[in-house]
Amino acid sequence: MRSPLARALMVSLALIGVLGVVVAGIETALFAEQDTGPWWLLASFPAGGLVHLAAGLEAWRRRPSNRTGPIMVLGALTWFVVALANTGTPALVAVGVVLATTPLAVVVWLLHAFPSGRLRSRTSRLTVVGGFVVSLVLQVPGYLFDRGASPGGMLSVAHRVDLSLAGTWLQRGAGMAVMLVTAGVLAGRLRTATPGQRRVLLPLYAYGILAVLATPLGPLLGPSAGLSAVQVAGLQIVLLAGVPVAFAAAVLRGGFARTAGIQELSAWLASSAATPDLLAGALGRALGDPSLQVVYASRDGRALVDGDGAAFDASALGEHRDLVDIELGSRRIGAIVYDTTAVDDTELARGAGQVAALAIDHDRLTAELRASHADLQQSRARLVEAGDRARQHIAQDLHDGLQVELVLLAVEAQQLARVDGPADLPAAATRLRIGIDGAARHLREVAHAVMPAALIERGLTAAVEDLADRVPLPTRLLLVGGDGRLPATVERTAYFVVAEALTNAVKHAAAETLTVTLAREPTRLLIGVTDDGVGGATPEGGVGLHGLADRVDALGGRFTLESPAGGGTRLRVELPCGS
């Protein structure tokens, strides 16, 4: 079901078509009374206008927001106007003479505006303006100084064949310059086009340039090819009349600017289940870019993910790719990634995205859920690996440290039992006691590494104070808010965050001073560890920070690391802790 806007457009295009047919019929009837040339040649001008009109109306109907169709309809108007030169009414003939070469300027416009219908560069805009100057301004000497160019010489001020001829050659030379610039612009576009687009563009551009050049060069080259003036004129008309057909066929093909009405996209969204693939396909058809991709914003709107929840790097779009953000209210919900050679109107892409915003937001939530699920699986795997590494480390400490010490103590105890003289017994017992004390100290270190006694017995503040005192660098501890006990999981996570951050700063940061901040708020605990070292730390750079980030995420907290090269490191963790 078409929208009211689409139905209104269809009615308007139909009326334009009917009007064009009526004008062509009237002009053809007027030519029947003239003997200025073959009737078929005279009738070919309104016929060429009808071809332009039909191709333009079809392109306009199929791609309402693409300006190629309206340009071709304007070209049809120039053909109808030029045909007036063959009527018997002096005023109409004068209008046809003045605008005789404007169809060529319209073809130049088409060449530069294809495929979107918009002039994409300053060079193209200046060249098209130059084409109309050649057709309108440099046409003036041809009828101003030639009394035979208009009925009764009504447009001429003097009969100067030399000036008229000079004007003709000037117009031809300027026209050739316009076409050379046009060829250069089109060659540049061919170099940057995809192979599929190049297969369409190359013959299309070549045909358009040939059709334009046939007008000034036809009278010069036709006699050498054995063609009469009438045959040359007929060939020129056929070539120019084929231009809109070729352009309309190309603009309706895939891979170019297919800007179907946004209202139609809205109607599709209202009647269809917009899955991510179908949504991207519908937007691609609406904007004329089969390569169009929809990506979705993360929860905070800073990062982008694709439909599977995988991270999307907006800085690596590639050549001729651009991105336009989609917002719902004031919230960024996603973006459309498109080919700038197919869609050169950013606002058009943004408008299509806004129409599909609700569907994009729905898919964003789905992508976010997938990303969260994937992150949860990875986090669980990393937590398992971290637990395995911790157990392996404890086992290795017990095996290589405490076990060896106990074996040595057993040997010493056995030697003590063999002591013969009572005088040697105290010294042997003392050595055994020292060994036992060392083994006990080693055991306390292992236990402290697993869970510090100060943390269990006295809480987070005391444990962090003890930790800061043992750091071999000047460390400042800032305590904000209450110092009561927190949930055990929060205290353990906070302690290990501080411990890992201080360890990394001592080992890798080359810092001179450290600062630890514990800020207690009603519903959260803020932890900050900063240093004045070399920076350059990343959560992915080691298993320690990565493991801490997973622990923080498991508690529903936030883990932020800022470490610019040469600017020190600032670790900030936020943990929910209840009221």
Side-chain angles (χ1 to χ4, degrees), residues 251-268:
V251 82
L252 296 178
R253 289 189 57 176
F256 292 105
R258 303 173 58 174
T259 50
I262 300 302
Q263 292 283 351
E264 299 303 318
L265 174 64
S266 179
W268 178 86

Side-chain angles (χ1 to χ4, degrees), residues 329-345:
S330 60
R331 179 169 52 92
R332 183 194 192 198
I333 61 171
I336 292 177
V337 182
Y338 61 93
D339 184 351
T340 56
T341 63
V343 184
D344 65 349
D345 188 347

Side-chain angles (χ1 to χ4, degrees), residues 51 143 247 325 496 518 551 564:
V51 172
Y143 56 78
F247 274 81
D325 286 334
F496 287 118
L518 295 178
R551 291 190 64 151

